[in-house]
Amino acid sequence: MAIRSAAGAYQVRILEDLGEAAGGLPSGHRLWVVDQRVWDLYAPVLRPLAGPDRIVPLPIHEGCKNLETAQELCGTLMEMGVRRQTTLVVVGGGILQDLAGFAASILFRGIPWVFLPTTLLAQADSCIGGKTSLNFQNFKNLLGTFWPPQRVLLAPAFLATLEEDVFFSGLGEVLKLHLMGGARTLAAYEGLQDRLHARDLPALTEAITTSLAIKQGYIERDEHDAGPRLLLNFGHCFGHGLEAASGYRFPHGQAVVLGMRLANRVAQGRGLLDAALAQRADRLFQATLKVKPAARDLDPAPLLAAMARDKKRTGPGLALILMQSGYGFEQVQDLTPEEVRTALEAERPHD
Ligand SMILES: NC(=O)c1ccc[n+]([C@@H]2O[C@H](COP(=O)([O-])OP(=O)(O)OC[C@H]3O[C@@H](n4cnc5c(N)ncnc54)[C@H](O)[C@@H]3O)[C@@H](O)[C@H]2O)c1
């Protein structure tokens, strides 16, 4: 598939075998930045692909998505001889994409990069759209640029080695996109669910392709997040709040699943979402939520404080994306602390 972008169209190529990536790499000077864990697991396949190129393996966790690490990475790449025409080959998940994509966007005011996404979240969602983000102070994804890769080389075979919470984190974003796609894609997801949970590769490839097509519809209409693209943040207003309030202990995609549940409770409370669709969605959320929130994650005070700092907030009230009956989505700016407390209360275990 080809994604239109103000920075130039870029291709997403789905690879049946990782070795096929060789044909998609640009010629010329290249430097590789690889998630350390991916390097540990896949060096025998990646080393021949890289040939004589130099490789930077980086240990990855949400805490390294910051300016200090981006600066260190720029320094390492400078020591390795990065030039204006160098292509950065980035191999990893959403965190490395955000960090290395950011570095690529500022080095020499922007050098080309190619992305090999290795997590389900990165393959089904973040690899398109061109956003690079860093966390700043206690603000999630506050700093960033729009700098899409030249090409995405997508090998679902990487997904076999993901830890369960990372896999289900990505599945949360897949579920979100299938809900946003409407009745047809929701039914398709339900039909695939068992095979997806078993990591069946053809089922994963189908769900990834559908997810990317749904996201493409939003980002091509609104690449720079001024209108419809904001709706892709369904689940993220609560989700980013939960991540930040838990000190990033809660994995991103799992926080989004819980965020969608909480948002749907608010929508039902406002009479916007019918019970049948809410229950159908909730069954899927429950099957996808593998990291159960601790009591402290459901404490309203830190969550409300984190949501008050949400960058989508434009007025005095809190921002939230709500799902409606008939698969519509809307952004509201008048979420009240009382609605947040009520939605959280229903999540607490009762004895
Ligand atoms: N730029 C965007 O448009 C965008 C969109 C959505 C999310 N994000 C960001 O993405 C991040 C989450 O990304 P993620 O879920 O991909 O997690 P991630 O990049 O942190 O990877 C999760 C873990 O899986 C490991 N890993 C990666 N690939 C592996 C593989 N093939 N086998 C085994 N282990 C592997 C990593 O080392 C890490 O420990 C968040 O910071 C979020 O804000 C960015």
Side-chain angles (χ1 to χ4, degrees), residues 260-270 282 342-344 346-347:
M260 291 190 285
R261 289 191 83 178
L262 296 171
N264 277 5
R265 281 207 195 105
V266 173
Q268 275 197 284
R270 290 188 179 202
D282 210 57
T342 308
L344 283 172
E347 201 63 45

Side-chain angles (χ1 to χ4, degrees), residues 35-38 41-42 58-62 65 92-98 117-122 125-133 135 140-141 157-163 166 169-170 173 215 229 236 240 243 252-253:
D35 179 314
Q36 176 73 61
R37 185 165 161 69
V38 174
L41 288 164
Y42 293 94
L58 277 187
I60 286 303
H61 51 93
E62 184 73 30
K65 229 177 77 168
I95 294 185
L96 189 64
Q97 170 191 351
D98 273 343
T118 62
T119 63
L120 182 53
L121 178 139
D125 177 10
S126 65
C127 69
I128 62 169
K131 283 187 185 173
T132 80
S133 310
N135 302 327
K140 169 86 181 166
N141 291 345
F158 273 123
L159 307 181
T161 50
L162 291 177
E163 298 281 347
V166 178
S169 224
E173 297 279 4
K215 180 164 177 180
R229 185 173 177 174
H236 287 62
H240 281 169
E243 271 187 280
H252 174 78

Side-chain angles (χ1 to χ4, degrees), residues 13 19 23 44 55-56 68 83 91 101 114 139 143 151 153 191 198-199 203 206 219 251 271 280 283 286 297 301:
R13 248 187 244 174
I55 294 166
V56 189
E68 293 73 25
R83 303 191 289 268
V91 190
V114 168
F139 295 85
L143 308 178
R151 195 169 298 162
L153 302 171
R199 301 196 200 187
E206 188 180 329
I219 59 178
R280 204 172 145 195
R283 274 195 293 277
Q286 287 194 48
D297 297 326

Side-chain angles (χ1 to χ4, degrees), residues 18-297:
L18 191 48
E20 288 172 27
L25 293 171
S27 51
H29 186 240
R30 299 180 303 220
L31 291 172
W32 292 56
V33 185
V34 184
D35 179 314
Q36 176 73 61
R37 185 165 161 69
V38 174
W39 182 246
D40 293 343
L41 288 164
Y42 293 94
V45 196
L46 294 172
R47 186 72 267 180
L49 280 175
D53 301 346
R54 294 183 71 187
I55 294 166
V56 189
L58 277 187
I60 286 303
H61 51 93
E62 184 73 30
C64 71
K65 229 177 77 168
N66 57 32
L67 275 174
E68 293 73 25
T69 318
Q71 189 175 338
E72 276 170 29
L73 176 59
C74 289
T76 307
L77 293 170
M78 289 300 286
E79 279 166 25
M80 289 184 154
V82 65
R83 303 191 289 268
R84 200 185 284 264
Q85 298 80 6
T86 301
T87 299
L88 219 56
V89 182
V90 178
V91 190
I95 294 185
L96 189 64
Q97 170 191 351
D98 273 343
L99 182 67
F102 183 83
S105 75
I106 57 169
L107 275 164
F108 302 102
R109 298 204 179 85
I111 60 168
W113 67 293
V114 168
F115 187 33
L116 277 71
T118 62
T119 63
L120 182 53
L121 178 139
Q123 295 192 351
D125 177 10
S126 65
C127 69
I128 62 169
K131 283 187 185 173
T132 80
S133 310
L134 298 179
N135 302 327
F136 184 64
Q137 296 171 351
N138 206 16
F139 295 85
K140 169 86 181 166
N141 291 345
L142 186 84
L143 308 178
T145 52
F146 284 98
W147 191 245
Q150 274 196 329
R151 195 169 298 162
V152 178
L153 302 171
L154 194 160
F158 273 123
L159 307 181
T161 50
L162 291 177
E163 298 281 347
E164 175 160 283
D165 62 335
V166 178
F167 177 80
F168 277 93
S169 224
L171 203 57
E173 297 279 4
V174 171
L175 170 56
K176 179 202 80 178
L177 286 162
H178 280 73
L179 278 169
M180 297 190 75
R184 194 180 53 78
T185 54
L186 176 57
Y189 182 93
E190 287 168 329
L192 285 177
Q193 180 172 248
D194 290 347
R195 287 169 61 206
L196 291 173
H197 284 211
R199 301 196 200 187
D200 172 75
L201 271 188
L204 283 167
T205 305
E206 188 180 329
I208 290 167
T209 310
T210 305
S211 300
L212 291 176
I214 294 165
K215 180 164 177 180
Q216 181 182 24
Y218 282 90
I219 59 178
E220 289 191 341
R221 268 187 294 154
D222 174 27
E223 186 175 13
H224 296 130
D225 236 354
R229 185 173 177 174
L230 285 168
L231 299 177
L232 290 172
N233 283 301
F234 176 48
H236 287 62
C237 302
F238 277 120
H240 281 169
L242 288 160
E243 271 187 280
S246 75
Y248 299 108
R249 191 191 56 81
F250 219 76
H252 174 78
Q254 290 283 285
V256 170
V257 177
L258 187 51
M260 291 190 285
R261 289 191 83 178
L262 296 171
N264 277 5
R265 281 207 195 105
V266 173
Q268 275 197 284
R270 290 188 179 202
L272 296 170
L273 178 63
D274 65 82
L277 184 52
Q279 280 164 16
R280 204 172 145 195
D282 210 57
R283 274 195 293 277
L284 299 171
F285 297 151
Q286 287 194 48
T288 318
L289 199 59
K290 298 293 171 186
V291 181
K292 302 291 176 212
R296 66 176 186 279
D297 297 326

